[in-house]
Amino acid sequence: MGNRLEVTEQSARETGVRLASTARAVLGERVAGVAAIEGSALYLLDRVVSQAEAELLTRSLVDPATQTAHWSTVTAETALQPGTVEVVLRAGVTDPVGAAFEQAAAMVGMAPVRVRSGQRYRVGAESPTDLAAGRYAIEALLRNEIVDELFATTVAQARFTTAPDDVTVEIIPVRSLDAVALHGLSRTRGLALDPEELVALQDYFRSIDRDPTDAELETIAQTWSEHCSHKTFRAAITWDDGTQVVPLLKQLRDSTDTIAASFVRSAFVDNAGIIAFDDRFDVAIKVETHNHPSAVEPFGGANTGVGGVIRDVLGVAADPIATTDILCFGPLDTPADTLPAGVLHPFRVRQGVVAGVADYGNKLGLPTVAGAVVHHDGFTANPLVFCGCIGLRPAGLQLEGQQPGHRIIAIGGATGRDGIRGATFSSTTMDATTGDVAGASVQIGDPIIEKLVADVLVVARDARLFSAITDCGAGGFSSAIGELAAELGADVDLDTAPRKYAGLAPWEVWLSEAQERMVLAVPSGHVAALRSICTDHGVEMCDLGSFRNDGQLIVRCVGSTIVDLPGSFLHDGRPQRQMVASHPTAPEPYGGRNDDAIVANAAQILLAVLAHSDVRSNEDIVRGYDHEIMGATISRPYQGAADDGPADAAVLAPVRSTSGRGLTIGIGVGYRTGDIDAYRMACASIDEAVRNAVCVGADPDQIALLDNFSWGDPRRPETLGKLVQAVRGCVDGAAQFQAPFVSGKDSLNNEYETAAGTCRSIPPTLVITALAIVPDALRTVSSDAKQAGNRIVLVGGHGVDLRGSVLDSVLGIDGPGSVPGASVDAAARYRAVHQAMRSGLVRAAHDVSDGGLLSCVAEMCIGGRLGARLNLVDGSLPNGVVAALFGETSGRIVLEVEPSDCDAVLALTGGEVIGSFEHEAHVVVTLSQGPVLDVGLADLLHAWRGHVVFGGFA
């Protein structure tokens, strides 16, 4: 028996009404009678506290101005009132809130107390049927069975992991297994190994005349996983006609080597790519995916995705300064009864992912400065979460590198049963059982610990206390230590590793992906100094062993040797995957376009385009993130007269730099056209990312790129063919702009197998991130229109490409024509635009992308609260009026230019004047025969941001 504390916000009723409204919109008639779902925070203590202790805790944890506290003592038999449901984290799931409560109790002098956190929900409804409907809404939208226990009849109980230590080291008999049994072993243990890899593993252990331990088998599986070894991108691929394909990763690396940009400091060899910034600093950048975990547990998956990519930047000894996120969800109006078994509703996924992203970076004091949000049916079962981080490190920093005898030091969080087999889990197709078998793959982060770890690393780096560093990501210690020891070997003793709780098997300690841990190589003479820094910052540190000089990885735990493997086999023993790609066949368009009808209804179609989920404002998400922490954000995600116009890219001026330079992050997201032409999609994505950066003032000759591929099962030849096409598009796009790739990530097997055995794959999705230098951070250009009378200049010509456009999505067709691809002279054009900006000739700039020219101009008007008048000559439109208004052809930018500067800008850029901004709050389009569109600014605003609701759920 123990105490419980319930903390209720004064706004709980208002929030509960909004939540019920959202539940009705998402779940339909089944919850029509639910008027409110009010929540309050719940803390379950493992003992009864005194009144004095309760008063101390209340003063420490509860804000009397906005919250009320209620203490109670209950037993396991205490019944809940009808319509009350309690949700508490399961035993063993990382609970940062509970841990913070325990720390607060210790700080006020209380005896030790263990705490589990949760939520208590009260359903506002009258009939028993509606009360039950409220419980259904809570289970569907607010509870995840993998990490939460639900109590609906009796009060929640705090359950803590109390299992005794597990010292078992299992020997797995593989030498005697036939092919069928080997496959069964792989499937049963979730190894995700190919048949050829299983044979190579078996042959190795036959050669040394013994069977592997469980830890060795799991170590090999995670090291050889798609997630860690990128075996598709390293595969030997042939087209189905026998033509050889250069391995995909080699193509990307060779592209960077060929470009040979002088500003690249490190590409593809470290945890993050690194480029030069100024005389004092280099810049590190990495973008990671956390797709499978976010599908299973949205908050934890996204949360630890952010934490993991921040650790990638810490893993190159850089100081994180900002984060990015690109999020892909299913449609929010998806009927709940159409979801496959085991799939969370897109609203539940989006709610958890958005909260998980916000919870991590901002708590570390990092602004979230760039990103995108898209919705598509293909992401319903497989949401995509791309998390990025940018960091600074001293210019020219060189670490000595690990040497024999250097100590293997781990700092940060303790090890628990979280993230077990995460690398192999992320390398498989999901199905209805994924939640059951992958529960241990779920990770919950603790950003406060990561902040302390980051602070330790800065001090230790500047004192030159470590010789090498990496993060504990996929595979945990097995990956981090295994990679650092790949050539030297290592002696590791896991007994010194701190545990969150007892009961972990040795292989689980070795493989756990528990968060907030970094591994360092430290010369023996520096260990004491590092320990002192860790103590000062309240960070745990453990000495796990030392590096050898014979290449052998030896791991011991509880007196047993659990791993004894040569690095040569672990890292080079995997057979190269042999794959066949077939040339994709573009699907035939299934719908035509009635151009006359589109022109006749252009006003209504423009409003529908602005309201489309790929175009509309994402303020309801972005305003929940702090994009100004650290005070370095010059250009923000929203700008203009009312600070609600869309920016093309954020600009940062790092506060420790004195060069006056800025950084910008442009993003290109391709997914709507990948099934039609993956090559052109890749070219267009690079163009969009570069174009976004150029629009805010970036130097087009100082841009580095990152690629993130999220694809279906590459073992399907046509799916692989699209991936090969996309990589070729990336290589050609990088060459066009002379913008080298410095890092990348592939996330494959993003598919969901239904109970009927059919697979639902995501559309081929490519995210390109452009990291660029802005020569003068104080002379950036924004997208909002500035002044009536200024000219609207279109650079790059009129639209041609309509297939895969937002227009087609709005019309519900797949119309004819081409999809956007490369614009052959875009690089020279962007240099000209940049020169015009540097000369002070450009008042505003906005890229023409989703929704086409009309959408672009409308967004500029929204930002500046001005109108616009466009005058188009029918005969000069190469593919007609509809393509001119809504086409998404690459390489185009709209500029706002003062009349006196027009001739100079046109001479530089080759653009054309197509209209002017006006005081009258309307967007008007006139063709040769007269006006074809006249839409008021109020209607444009309502379409673009009318869905936005703050302080609750949209």
Side-chain angles (χ1 to χ4, degrees):
M1 183 174 69
N3 278 135
R4 55 170 41 209
L5 170 63
E6 183 180 355
V7 179
T8 305
E9 300 287 340
Q10 290 183 4
S11 59
R13 177 64 185 177
E14 177 186 351
T15 302
V17 170
R18 282 198 299 270
L19 179 54
S21 175
T22 298
R24 293 192 296 272
V26 172
L27 302 176
E29 288 298 317
R30 182 169 177 177
V31 297
V34 178
I37 303 175
E38 297 180 40
S40 54
L42 190 62
Y43 305 94
L44 306 180
L45 286 64
D46 71 340
R47 67 176 178 85
V48 176
V49 299
S50 68
Q51 182 175 348
E53 289 177 319
E55 290 174 354
L56 276 173
L57 287 170
T58 300
R59 287 199 296 270
S60 300
L61 300 172
V62 180
D63 182 352
T66 61
Q67 298 172 316
T68 58
H70 175 67
W71 285 91
S72 62
T73 304
V74 298
T75 66
E77 291 76 30
T78 303
L80 288 169
Q81 293 293 321
T84 298
V85 176
E86 295 183 346
V87 177
V88 178
L89 287 174
R90 294 184 182 278
V93 175
T94 301
D95 186 358
V97 176
F101 193 114
E102 294 171 2
Q103 186 177 20
M107 291 175 65
V108 298
M110 284 179 55
V113 60
R114 291 188 298 176
V115 181
R116 297 300 284 174
S117 68
Q119 292 284 320
R120 180 182 177 99
Y121 296 105
R122 297 176 180 83
V123 177
E126 295 184 359
S127 72
T129 300
D130 289 335
L131 290 177
R135 173 181 168 178
Y136 164 72
I138 292 167
E139 293 194 54
L141 302 180
L142 299 171
R143 180 251 183 158
N144 186 348
E145 186 176 5
I146 293 175
V147 295
D148 297 319
E149 275 193 282
L150 183 139
F151 297 81
T153 56
T154 58
V155 296
Q157 297 298 301
R159 306 190 200 280
F160 300 93
T161 301
T162 58
D165 286 332
D166 186 346
V167 299
T168 304
V169 178
E170 185 181 359
I171 303 299
I172 311 298
V174 301
R175 290 176 294 168
S176 60
L177 299 181
D178 60 19
V180 174
L182 274 174
H183 176 74
L185 174 68
S186 179
R187 185 170 182 84
T188 300
R189 295 191 72 98
L191 303 179
L193 291 174
D194 292 348
E196 298 79 9
E197 294 166 345
L198 289 166
V199 170
L201 181 153
Q202 184 182 58
D203 288 347
Y204 170 76
F205 283 100
R206 283 175 175 171
S207 73
I208 63 172
D209 196 26
R210 70 173 177 86
D211 286 313
T213 66
D214 49 5
E216 289 174 325
L217 188 64
E218 300 287 349
T219 298
I220 294 167
Q222 73 80 22
T223 304
W224 291 5
S225 69
E226 184 77 83
H227 182 88
C228 291
S229 69
H230 312 288
K231 51 195 175 189
T232 294
F233 269 68
R234 288 189 164 99
I237 301 173
T238 58
W239 287 111
D240 45 16
D241 62 4
T243 306
Q244 294 288 322
V245 176
V246 175
L248 305 181
L249 186 56
K250 185 177 189 312
Q251 290 187 47
L252 293 166
R253 289 180 168 175
D254 287 351
S255 164
T256 294
D257 292 342
T258 300
I259 293 170
S262 61
F263 54 80
V264 174
R265 295 289 178 262
S266 175
F268 293 108
V269 297
D270 291 311
N271 287 331
I274 304 170
I275 68 170
F277 178 58
D278 59 19
D279 291 340
R280 294 185 59 198
F281 295 106
D282 292 337
V283 183
I285 185 167
K286 183 64 178 288
V287 179
E288 273 280 7
T289 52
H290 231 218
N291 301 338
H292 281 41
S294 298
V296 173
E297 209 301 287
F299 178 90
N303 192 249
T304 53
V306 177
V309 78
I310 291 171
R311 289 196 304 279
D312 282 329
V313 167
L314 292 174
V316 294
D319 248 347
I321 62 169
T323 62
T324 68
D325 61 275
I326 298 93
L327 313 176
C328 305
F329 306 117
L332 297 185
D333 59 356
T334 301
D337 56 5
T338 66
L339 295 174
V343 172
L344 298 174
H345 194 281
F347 171 82
R348 170 72 178 85
V349 174
R350 189 176 108 145
Q351 178 193 37
V353 165
V354 170
V357 170
D359 180 77
Y360 214 102
N362 287 171
K363 282 186 178 178
L364 267 71
L366 301 178
T368 303
V369 296
V373 183
V374 301
H375 294 83
H376 184 272
D377 182 62
F379 303 127
T380 297
N382 289 94
L384 305 182
V385 176
F386 302 84
C387 305
C389 184
I390 303 97
L392 290 182
R393 73 178 207 166
L397 175 68
Q398 295 289 332
L399 297 178
E400 171 191 359
Q402 59 273 34
Q403 302 295 325
H406 284 188
R407 305 305 298 177
I408 300 169
I409 303 296
I411 67 172
T415 299
R417 193 175 279 114
D418 32 13
I420 300 294
R421 297 191 178 116
T424 52
F425 161 56
S426 293
S427 304
T428 60
T429 295
M430 297 194 297
D431 58 27
T433 67
T434 296
D436 300 325
V437 300
S441 299
V442 173
Q443 307 158 47
I444 304 294
D446 191 338
I448 303 306
I449 291 179
E450 188 140 313
K451 171 59 177 169
L452 297 174
V453 169
D455 291 345
V456 166
L457 291 177
V458 171
V459 177
R461 177 199 67 199
D462 292 347
R464 298 295 191 268
L465 296 184
F466 55 84
S467 58
I469 181 173
T470 192
D471 72 306
C472 239
F477 288 142
S478 74
S479 176
I481 298 175
E483 291 175 7
L484 286 176
E487 296 183 4
L488 293 176
D491 277 308
V492 180
D493 184 356
L494 293 180
D495 290 344
T496 63
R499 272 75 155 169
K500 295 179 181 179
Y501 38 76
L504 296 178
W507 77 267
E508 292 177 315
V509 179
W510 182 234
L511 270 295
S512 168
E513 296 175 15
Q515 296 291 293
E516 291 80 45
R517 298 178 302 161
M518 301 293 294
V519 174
L520 296 79
V522 180
S524 298
H526 295 165
V527 171
L530 178 61
R531 189 178 299 279
S532 176
I533 295 169
C534 288
T535 300
D536 290 345
H537 285 79
V539 171
E540 285 198 86
M541 168 182 151
C542 62
D543 188 332
L544 293 171
S546 63
F547 291 99
R548 300 164 62 94
N549 197 23
D550 61 0
Q552 198 74 9
L553 176 63
I554 299 174
V555 183
R556 300 177 180 86
C557 189
V558 293
S560 299
T561 298
I562 66 169
V563 175
D564 188 350
L565 293 172
S568 56
F569 173 70
L570 189 58
H571 296 283
D572 301 318
R574 180 183 62 79
Q576 186 180 28
R577 181 180 265 184
Q578 308 292 313
M579 307 184 76
V580 176
S582 65
H583 290 280
T585 302
E588 290 295 324
Y590 65 79
R593 299 185 195 90
N594 185 330
D595 284 11
D596 290 340
I598 293 172
V599 173
N601 294 280
Q604 290 75 23
I605 291 174
L606 171 59
L607 296 176
V609 165
L610 289 173
H612 188 276
S613 59
D614 283 3
V615 179
R616 71 186 187 189
S617 172
N618 288 311
E619 283 182 82
D620 50 331
I621 292 177
V622 177
R623 297 293 192 196
Y625 302 147
D626 192 324
H627 42 262
E628 305 208 34
I629 301 173
M630 299 180 75
T633 310
I634 299 293
S635 176
R636 299 161 180 81
Y638 292 100
Q639 50 199 213
D643 290 322
D644 59 3
D648 286 298
V651 178
L652 300 171
V655 293
R656 287 177 290 159
S657 170
T658 57
S659 64
R661 290 183 159 200
L663 290 168
T664 187
I665 302 95
I667 293 172
V669 182
Y671 79 93
R672 275 186 274 114
T673 60
D675 276 324
I676 304 171
D677 192 327
Y679 173 82
R680 289 179 66 86
M681 180 187 76
C683 293
S685 297
I686 289 179
D687 194 306
E688 181 181 12
V690 170
R691 191 165 69 245
N692 281 336
V694 169
C695 279
V696 298
D699 181 348
D701 291 319
Q702 290 187 292
I703 296 179
L705 303 175
L706 290 84
D707 61 76
N708 283 86
F709 297 86
S710 284
W711 235 251
D713 186 347
R715 287 163 293 194
R716 191 165 43 247
E718 184 160 311
T719 301
L720 180 60
K722 293 172 185 175
L723 183 60
V724 173
Q725 285 186 330
V727 170
R728 184 167 61 87
C730 285
V731 170
D732 289 350
Q736 177 189 12
F737 294 105
Q738 288 294 286
F741 282 100
V742 295
S743 182
K745 186 73 175 69
D746 57 280
S747 172
L748 309 179
N749 303 294
N750 288 283
E751 300 196 350
Y752 190 91
E753 185 176 344
T754 68
T758 59
C759 270
R760 297 187 178 190
S761 175
I762 64 165
T765 303
L766 174 64
V767 170
I768 297 293
T769 303
L771 174 66
I773 305 298
V774 178
D776 185 346
L778 296 181
R779 300 186 68 180
T780 61
V781 178
S782 61
S783 66
D784 52 299
K786 305 300 189 299
Q787 185 174 323
N790 284 348
R791 303 298 187 252
I792 299 172
V793 175
L794 174 62
V795 177
H798 287 282
V800 174
D801 304 304
L802 273 170
R803 192 168 185 193
S805 63
V806 173
L807 173 66
D808 275 8
S809 180
V810 164
L811 296 176
I813 65 170
D814 175 14
S818 57
V819 303
S823 176
V824 293
D825 56 351
R829 189 181 312 135
Y830 296 164
R831 291 188 184 97
V833 169
H834 181 65
Q835 184 179 343
M837 290 178 173
R838 293 282 283 167
S839 300
L841 303 177
V842 176
R843 295 295 308 278
H846 197 25
D847 79 311
V848 181
S849 54
D850 293 334
L853 176 64
L854 268 186
S855 174
C856 172
V857 173
E859 289 177 348
M860 297 179 78
C861 291
I862 288 170
R865 291 301 193 270
L866 292 172
R869 184 172 295 274
L870 302 183
N871 300 296
L872 305 179
V873 180
D874 301 20
S876 67
L877 307 180
N879 207 32
V881 175
V882 173
L885 297 180
F886 298 105
E888 297 177 6
T889 300
S890 299
R892 298 183 297 149
I893 298 173
V894 170
L895 305 178
E896 178 189 359
V897 180
E898 293 184 3
S900 59
D901 294 327
C902 257
D903 288 345
V905 171
L906 297 182
L908 272 173
T909 65
E912 62 177 296
V913 176
I914 60 171
S916 60
F917 291 106
E918 306 287 336
H919 281 300
E920 185 180 0
H922 284 254
V923 171
V924 179
V925 177
T926 301
L927 300 175
S928 302
Q929 69 270 28
V932 296
L933 178 146
D934 187 338
V935 184
L937 182 62
D939 290 332
L940 297 175
L941 272 165
H942 180 73
W944 193 70
R945 63 185 304 272
H947 66 287
V948 175
V949 176
F950 295 111
F953 301 87

